[in-house]
Amino acid sequence: MLADILNMPWWVWVIIILVLIGIRDIFLQRKHTIIHNYPVVGHLRYLLEKIGPELRQYLVANNREELPFNRIERGWIYASAKKENNYEGFGTDQDIYTHHHIFINNAMMPFKLEADHPNSIDKTFLPCAKIMGAFNKRKRPYRPASVINVSAMSFGSLSARAIASLNKGVKMAHAFHNTGEGGLSPYHSHGADVIFQFGTGYFGVRNEAGDFSMDKLKELVQGNSFIRAIEIKLSQGAKPGKGGVLPGAKITKQIAKIRGVEVGKDVISPPYHRAFSNVQEMVDFIEAIASETGLPVGIKAAIGKLDEWEALADIMKHTGKGPDFISIDGGEGGTGAAPPSFADHVSLPWVYGFSDLYRVFLNRGLTDRIVFIGSGKLGFPAKAAMAFAMGADCINVAREAMMSIGCIQAQVCHTNRCPSGVATQSKWLQNGIDPNLKSIRLAQYFKTFRKELIEITHAAGYEHPCQFRMSDIEMNVDDQNLAKPLNKTYIYDKSPVPFDGMQNLKECVYLGGNYQRDLSRIVLDGN
């Protein structure tokens, strides 16, 4: 009998297995109605549902259809990062009459570069036009050497190799790297300028009770000279006003050491800060940190209600104190994990939130003392030009930077099963990342971004994107008056940014990004 069983044809085995699955579906499982009512075949429904995003991404959706980033946007980042042809032929396939499509008004006579101009020597040289901490006379002011930088992404949310790739690439691109609220890890320490961020969990600068420790922050800053500024996270676009839980199962010895928490024990980040409870206390907290560390101090937030922002602006107006920079995150910003109710509905999109906030400070004559950083799907030259026209001074990118090092928008960041190894702690999955190669791709994406933004700026007749005016950009807003300038759309005019030429930025003693050390080694390669 055993011999007869072993000699049965393969198709008999298939039938037996299907019959056993059918018996299990009908009589043993009670979780899934579809599988009970349609045994065996019902499994196809769950299989197709599982691979649905991949089917839509590669086979069904058109080039401009997907969200958060469509195929054209992802393709431009991938090609730019790999230094491949990122052009398109035959003309745009974008419907230029769609709502919120932007138009950049070009000049009859573009800006002309002289032979000794910094951008004739280095076509990617594009520092921030403002200096963080200059107005408040901080001990260590900082001019970001790049207008595009890596936004806050923590080690723990991203893998060690991903963080290392970003940091090494940022160093090559002369940009800065925001640590995210997960603390300063060894993977942030490859030589790039770093902005250290902390949130309500005070990871890396907390005492045993979980409260903020000034002594630990001072020790961290003194031991890591590449930290150029401090950012206090109030909220982020994808989940403003919501705390978080770091499960104990994910806290390794390394993560526990970096964050200052216990191994294997759940850590709760509340939705509010314990170091301050109102706007005045926050300003006092900012000034205390700046005094103790000597660094510029800023805040990051998604924008909703404006009453507390108006209170902040009033305090800054009357006291001359307050944040040196403000990072404004849009509701379209990314995160490793957030409830759809928050990601879809809480906080304003970037253009609405930024315009509301900028007007608050504009009306009080405060815009010149603040470096405004925009964040939320702005990692494309045309969108950046719009942001600069509205008053932004720098752009922070997160998901765009992830894509440059291999992210494929699988949208499974919250599962720890990121197939590209970027947003996972799986050793196996992240072993596919080569930091030496991926760092070059991040740097090349940044350089391509800056090169194209400079070219757009010159086409509009300007030397630096800080010179963009709101009337230089038009946007489709409705059917009666299809395109309006930004100043008509958002009801304000950006205040002029003081700018004395790119050469003065190049010679600034506060210029970051290791430029002063590397200027003699810049070789023009056409990019």
Side-chain angles (χ1 to χ4, degrees), residues 159-172 177 184-194 224 226 435-436 439 514 517:
S159 67
R161 288 182 175 234
I163 295 290
S165 299
L166 293 173
N167 194 262
K168 290 180 178 181
V170 161
K171 181 182 179 182
M172 295 177 194
H177 188 180
L184 182 72
S185 73
Y187 314 108
H188 290 103
S189 309
H190 292 285
D193 288 352
V194 162
N224 300 279
F226 52 81
N436 293 324
S439 60
N514 302 306
R517 185 194 321 160

Side-chain angles (χ1 to χ4, degrees), residues 82-131:
K82 297 175 184 177
K83 210 173 181 179
E84 296 175 349
N85 186 342
N86 63 359
Y87 289 11
E88 63 181 36
F90 205 66
T92 181
D93 63 356
Q94 171 75 51
D95 181 357
I96 63 175
Y97 297 101
T98 55
H99 186 63
H100 271 201
H101 187 77
I102 62 174
F103 305 92
I104 301 166
N105 291 325
N106 59 294
M108 178 185 286
M109 302 294 176
F111 180 82
K112 183 179 179 180
L113 290 176
E114 302 298 335
D116 60 347
H117 190 279
N119 290 135
S120 294
I121 300 169
D122 179 2
K123 293 184 178 180
T124 72
F125 178 70
L126 190 56
C128 179
K130 292 180 182 175
I131 301 174

Side-chain angles (χ1 to χ4, degrees), residues 104-106 381-382 384-392 453-473 486 494-497:
I104 301 166
N105 291 325
N106 59 294
M386 176 199 69
F388 274 90
M390 294 178 67
L453 178 56
I454 290 169
E455 290 170 345
I456 289 174
T457 302
H458 292 172
Y462 300 126
E463 184 179 6
H464 190 285
C466 74
Q467 296 173 286
F468 272 112
R469 299 171 298 177
M470 296 191 74
S471 57
D472 292 318
I473 313 289
L486 292 180
K494 163 195 169 184
S495 61
V497 176

Side-chain angles (χ1 to χ4, degrees), residues 286-309:
I286 289 171
E287 292 300 321
I289 291 175
S291 176
E292 293 290 336
T293 65
L295 297 179
V297 181
I299 55 178
K300 175 183 179 178
I303 308 303
K305 296 180 179 180
L306 295 177
D307 50 347
E308 289 171 313
W309 289 103

Side-chain angles (χ1 to χ4, degrees), residues 132 142-144 146 149-153 167 170 175-184 188 192-198 217 220-221 224-233 295-300 325-327 371 373 394 396:
M132 292 180 179
Y142 176 56
R143 185 193 296 276
S146 171
N149 302 281
V150 171
S151 191
M153 293 182 286
N167 194 262
V170 161
F176 69 67
H177 188 180
N178 191 305
T179 63
E181 62 179 319
L184 182 72
H188 290 103
D193 288 352
V194 162
I195 289 186
F196 177 76
Q197 184 195 82
F198 64 83
L217 178 61
L220 188 74
V221 170
N224 300 279
S225 60
F226 52 81
I227 298 178
R228 304 302 301 270
I230 307 294
E231 182 175 85
I232 303 169
K233 176 184 171 183
L295 297 179
V297 181
I299 55 178
K300 175 183 179 178
F325 63 95
I326 301 176
S327 298
V371 174
I373 302 175
C394 281
N396 277 2

Side-chain angles (χ1 to χ4, degrees), residues 399-412:
R399 289 168 293 179
E400 298 94 319
M402 291 165 61
M403 289 179 191
S404 74
I405 64 169
C407 168
I408 62 171
Q409 192 172 277
Q411 296 179 272
V412 292

